[in-house]
Amino acid sequence: MSAPHLPKVAGIDPEVPVSTHTAAPLREIPAAPGAFIQDRLAGWVSDLTTLHELTERLAATATLDAALNELLHAGAALVGARRGLLVLERAGSTTPSTTLGLGLGPADLGHLETVERSATALGRILDGPPEAADARDGIATPDLLGDQDLDPRHREVATRLGYAASYALPLASEAAGRLGGAVWFYDEPGEPSEKQRHLVGLYARYATEHLARLTELERARADIATVADELLPSRLPRIPGVRLAARHRTGPQGGGDWYDALPLPDHALGLAVGSVGGSGPSAMAAMGRLRASLRAYAVIEGEDPVAVLSDLELLLRLTEPARTATALFAYCEPAARKVVLAGAGHTPPLVLGDRRCEYVETTLSAPLGMLACWEAPSVEFSPAPGETVLLYTDGLLRRTGDAMDRAFARLHSAAASVPKAGRHDPAAVTDHVLRAMLPDGLDRSDSTEDVVVLAAHFD
């Protein structure tokens, strides 16, 4: 006789024995973690939040100087110090070192430089092997004045400046290598805690990568600016009856804005400004070729600016059909105070004097390279004695951020506001116009526009 079968329940096999190790049912809620664990968790969250905020602020810096200042301030906050010193000095590099102080004036930095480097923790970090363990973890000197082996000159400077302890840290990472070091000074004996060292070490490694990127970026920008300067006139000619001044700023990527001033036969003068489309090395190279070609055409037929630009347009269309450019060429006879000019899609000159400030009326024309055959009539005008003719590229207008009509009005207002005492100095005129148009200066790193201003003052 077979044994009776137990009733079946969906999803459960009644013949499978119940494990004797099954946990007992939960009869009460577990107690909350202790206050100690909660405090530690809250501390970790706070530290991570602080580190995140500081690295975000550092990442927002776009220039090397801004990043170095941010690093010094953030490091001081993390280690609990009030003053600090940073030296950017890549091992094996020929680039001059950069020294920056926090809470230290030029005289204080001068005193610190009189201490032999090997006698300071920062000097041991900068001159020692990068793989040294103590250098990687930082060097703490909790009681400088109590150190019997302290260099006498270091003791004298520490007493004069009023610091009693220091903590030095390398600015190094595996990818970037060692870029330099930083040291923070304490007014009283002490040193950062283990947690502070850990946080500032994490921050310093991230900062090193950011500084390496900015260093390479600024080096590339400096190289671009150097090449652009070499492609432009090294000096302006001296022609009786006229004085010249020029200001030029290349964008961070390198652009195609240019100017030129060249002496011509019979004591004449050729003035030119222009802009090649695009940016980067290609635009700079095209700008150099265009400027060199214009100089040749100006010597051959400079008395006819239309012919000069026509020849230039033909050359551009044959050799670089995919490129466009704007240009303005003016043939000047200073003795007769006569100017004949032609423009190809370029902004009109501005004439500034004691009795007038107005744009020269030029005919509307297309840029070079846009039409099958370029041609436009020339314009002739006579600047009065003491007047200045201002040539410029549209980068000056675009850098203002205004619409073009407002930018033209702003330029007119800037030129009209030149003080009378400076209206007979072309350099003073250009500087005043630039200050009025670009209050932040020509060196703004967030602008991609080139700027060219060329002033000719007729005596």
Side-chain angles (χ1 to χ4, degrees):
M1 184 176 179
S2 60
H5 293 281
L6 296 175
K8 292 184 178 180
V9 181
I12 299 178
D13 187 353
E15 295 185 358
V16 178
V18 178
S19 173
T20 57
H21 298 285
T22 303
L26 187 63
R27 300 184 182 279
E28 59 183 20
I29 300 175
F36 173 74
I37 298 178
Q38 288 183 339
D39 289 344
R40 291 197 64 179
L41 289 174
W44 289 340
V45 171
S46 176
D47 292 341
L48 290 175
T49 302
T50 300
L51 194 61
H52 177 69
E53 291 176 352
L54 292 176
T55 52
E56 274 196 332
R57 288 174 54 180
L58 180 65
T61 56
T63 63
L64 189 59
D65 288 342
L68 294 177
N69 274 291
E70 180 61 32
L71 193 160
L72 263 181
H73 283 83
L78 288 172
V79 302
R82 188 172 61 88
R83 292 178 289 177
L85 174 66
L86 185 149
V87 175
L88 199 63
E89 185 179 273
R90 173 169 284 185
S93 174
T94 58
T95 305
S97 62
T98 300
T99 302
L100 188 68
L102 170 65
L104 299 170
D108 300 331
L109 296 178
H111 287 305
L112 289 169
E113 289 177 354
T114 63
V115 181
E116 188 177 353
R117 279 175 52 135
S118 60
T120 66
L122 181 59
R124 293 196 295 273
I125 283 177
L126 294 174
D127 299 332
E131 64 277 4
D134 59 343
R136 290 198 307 269
D137 299 333
I139 301 176
T141 310
D143 188 4
L144 274 167
L145 301 181
D147 185 359
Q148 299 299 323
D149 298 328
L150 187 67
D151 180 78
R153 179 56 186 167
H154 193 182
R155 184 186 303 275
E156 179 183 347
V157 171
T159 303
R160 177 189 292 269
L161 300 185
Y163 63 88
S166 67
Y167 177 68
L169 189 68
L171 300 176
S173 69
E174 293 182 2
R178 186 176 62 197
L179 300 186
V183 60
W184 291 276
F185 301 111
Y186 297 90
D187 296 340
E188 302 292 338
E191 60 181 312
S193 64
E194 183 179 353
K195 182 180 73 172
Q196 288 176 319
R197 292 191 188 196
H198 178 67
L199 290 177
V200 77
L202 292 175
Y203 180 82
R205 284 192 288 275
Y206 174 82
T208 300
E209 300 290 345
H210 186 62
L211 292 178
R213 290 190 292 269
L214 290 179
T215 301
E216 293 301 322
L217 182 60
E218 293 210 352
R219 184 179 294 113
R221 289 175 176 172
D223 291 342
I224 287 174
T226 300
V227 172
D229 290 340
E230 291 297 324
L231 292 174
L232 296 174
S234 57
R235 61 184 182 86
L236 296 173
R238 294 183 177 181
I239 304 294
V242 64
R243 287 176 290 149
L244 304 173
R247 298 292 183 267
H248 173 255
R249 170 65 176 176
T250 302
Q253 298 178 352
D257 286 17
W258 54 276
Y259 70 94
D260 206 350
L262 66 156
L264 297 175
D266 300 326
H267 302 289
L269 172 69
L271 299 176
V273 291
S275 177
V276 174
S279 62
S282 175
M284 294 173 62
M287 174 263 283
R289 293 191 293 269
L290 203 68
R291 172 179 170 260
S293 301
L294 186 141
R295 290 176 71 91
Y297 296 143
V299 171
I300 296 172
E301 46 192 359
E303 295 183 11
D304 186 356
V306 173
V308 172
L309 294 186
S310 296
D311 293 344
L312 193 64
E313 196 275 337
L314 179 60
L315 177 70
L316 187 68
R317 181 155 43 88
L318 294 176
T319 59
E320 301 184 61
R323 193 177 295 279
T324 61
T326 66
L328 185 147
F329 178 74
Y331 177 80
C332 308
E333 296 180 12
R337 288 193 296 277
K338 172 185 173 183
V339 177
V340 182
L341 65 86
H346 205 79
T347 51
L350 185 67
V351 180
L352 165 67
D354 293 333
R355 297 186 177 181
R356 64 169 171 168
C357 179
E358 60 188 24
Y359 288 103
V360 177
E361 293 187 6
T362 57
T363 56
L364 184 64
S365 59
L368 304 176
M370 291 193 68
L371 301 178
C373 181
W374 178 90
E375 187 172 355
S378 61
V379 175
E380 181 178 332
F381 68 98
S382 298
E387 289 188 332
T388 300
V389 178
L390 202 66
L391 310 180
Y392 54 93
T393 58
D394 60 359
L396 175 64
L397 306 175
R398 297 184 187 279
R399 273 212 185 187
T400 63
D402 297 333
M404 292 303 288
D405 56 343
R406 294 188 60 185
F408 274 113
R410 187 170 175 178
L411 176 58
H412 183 276
S413 177
S417 65
V418 175
K420 288 187 176 181
R423 291 191 177 185
H424 298 281
D425 181 0
V429 171
T430 55
D431 291 339
H432 178 88
V433 168
L434 287 173
R435 283 195 302 269
M437 293 287 287
L438 308 173
D440 296 334
L442 280 174
D443 296 328
R444 269 183 48 192
S445 60
D446 59 341
S447 178
T448 60
E449 298 286 347
D450 289 8
V451 174
V452 164
V453 180
L454 176 61
H457 177 79
F458 290 83
D459 296 329

